[in-house]
Amino acid sequence: GTTEEDLARIAVKAHKNSVDNEWARYRKEFTMEDVLASPLVSYPLRLLEICAVSDGAAAVVICSAETANRLSDNPVWVAGSAVATASFDDGIPRGLAGPVPDHGGAYHSEAKAAVGKAMADACVSHSDIDLIELQDNTVYYELSFPEEWGFCRPGEAERLVEAGETVPTGSLPINPSGGFQSFGEATTAQGIWQVCELVVQLRGQAGTRQVPGASVGLGQTLGLGGNGAAVVLKN
């Protein structure tokens, strides 16, 4: 099962990734001891495992393939994108009347649906994805989402974290930018920023946080009220 150390490792990794990221709001490393000593907010989550409320802005330029090839020697392509809303049998109570089905744990149907649709549109499988930028309001999402989306088996996410497989040089890099943990929750801007980070990664320009050989990236965000979005980019 998930331990406090598993959660703390994710926070440590996120902040380490952000140290050399000039766009991150928080660029300070924390040790396991720092994280585990931070105030308990809502068990088992501590202060340094929850993203701050933030503000920000981001922008991207989308153009035709003809224009992209004219303006860039290394264009990045939008291979698939999708938005989705939560299904009525979602496992997380959202103020709907009536009993909530027991899915055996937390469930985010809007995120799973958006990610699945974007990957299908892009004609990619889980093994094709080289890195993931996901919405980590808390470190918990780095454990739940990979399992819910099929990137690993139920209960395996903790092992990936413990083995260091979610760092930029691991087998399943997650949030090499530092994620919401290092930017804060400026959700709409952060979704666009994920696209910016994926572009930098797919162009091989991410410096110390570079995912080696990255050619396909997945970005995902959630919105208030059971809505989600996802995008797959290819170089």
Side-chain angles (χ1 to χ4, degrees):
T2 304
T3 67
E4 288 197 45
E5 287 74 21
D6 289 328
L7 298 174
R9 285 189 187 95
I10 297 171
V12 169
K13 182 264 298 183
H15 288 286
K16 182 176 182 180
N17 288 349
S18 71
V19 168
D20 295 324
N21 187 345
E22 62 179 331
W23 302 106
R25 179 180 180 185
Y26 303 104
R27 299 173 61 185
K28 177 182 178 181
E29 282 196 62
F30 294 99
T31 65
M32 288 281 289
E33 292 74 19
D34 291 332
V35 177
L36 292 172
S38 65
L40 189 67
V41 176
S42 179
Y43 181 82
L45 296 171
R46 297 183 177 276
L47 184 63
L48 292 180
E49 297 167 337
I50 302 170
C51 78
V53 176
S54 192
D55 196 3
V60 298
V61 175
I62 302 175
C63 59
S64 67
E66 179 184 3
T67 301
N69 284 318
R70 187 178 75 249
L71 297 177
S72 175
D73 294 329
N74 191 13
V76 171
W77 308 99
V78 180
S81 64
V83 295
T85 55
S87 61
F88 283 102
D89 65 346
D90 194 288
I92 299 178
R94 301 175 191 269
L96 299 176
V100 176
D102 181 8
H103 288 281
Y107 188 66
H108 309 81
S109 56
E110 69 274 43
K112 182 176 181 180
V115 167
K117 181 65 164 57
M119 290 178 60
D121 287 351
C123 298
V124 298
S125 64
H126 295 89
S127 61
D128 296 319
I129 301 294
D130 296 310
L131 72 149
I132 301 172
E133 282 285 330
L134 58 79
Q135 180 166 337
D136 59 331
N137 299 74
T138 76
V139 293
Y140 150 78
Y141 288 105
E142 283 205 29
L143 298 178
S144 65
F145 282 159
E147 294 182 3
E148 292 174 12
W149 301 344
F151 282 90
C152 61
R153 295 185 301 274
E156 190 181 14
E158 290 89 349
R159 183 193 65 78
L160 294 175
V161 171
E162 292 169 2
E165 299 293 354
T166 59
V167 303
T169 55
S171 63
L172 186 64
I174 297 177
N175 289 1
S177 69
F180 281 47
Q181 297 293 310
S182 300
F183 279 78
E185 186 183 12
T187 304
T188 305
Q190 189 67 2
I192 299 298
W193 164 250
Q194 289 179 343
V195 173
C196 298
E197 174 68 14
L198 293 175
V199 168
V200 170
Q201 288 282 350
L202 298 181
R203 286 177 169 168
Q205 300 170 341
T208 59
R209 66 182 190 278
Q210 179 65 49
V211 173
S215 61
V216 183
L218 168 67
Q220 170 273 331
T221 57
L222 288 170
L224 184 65
N227 61 85
V231 64
V232 175
L233 303 185
K234 295 181 179 180
N235 65 8

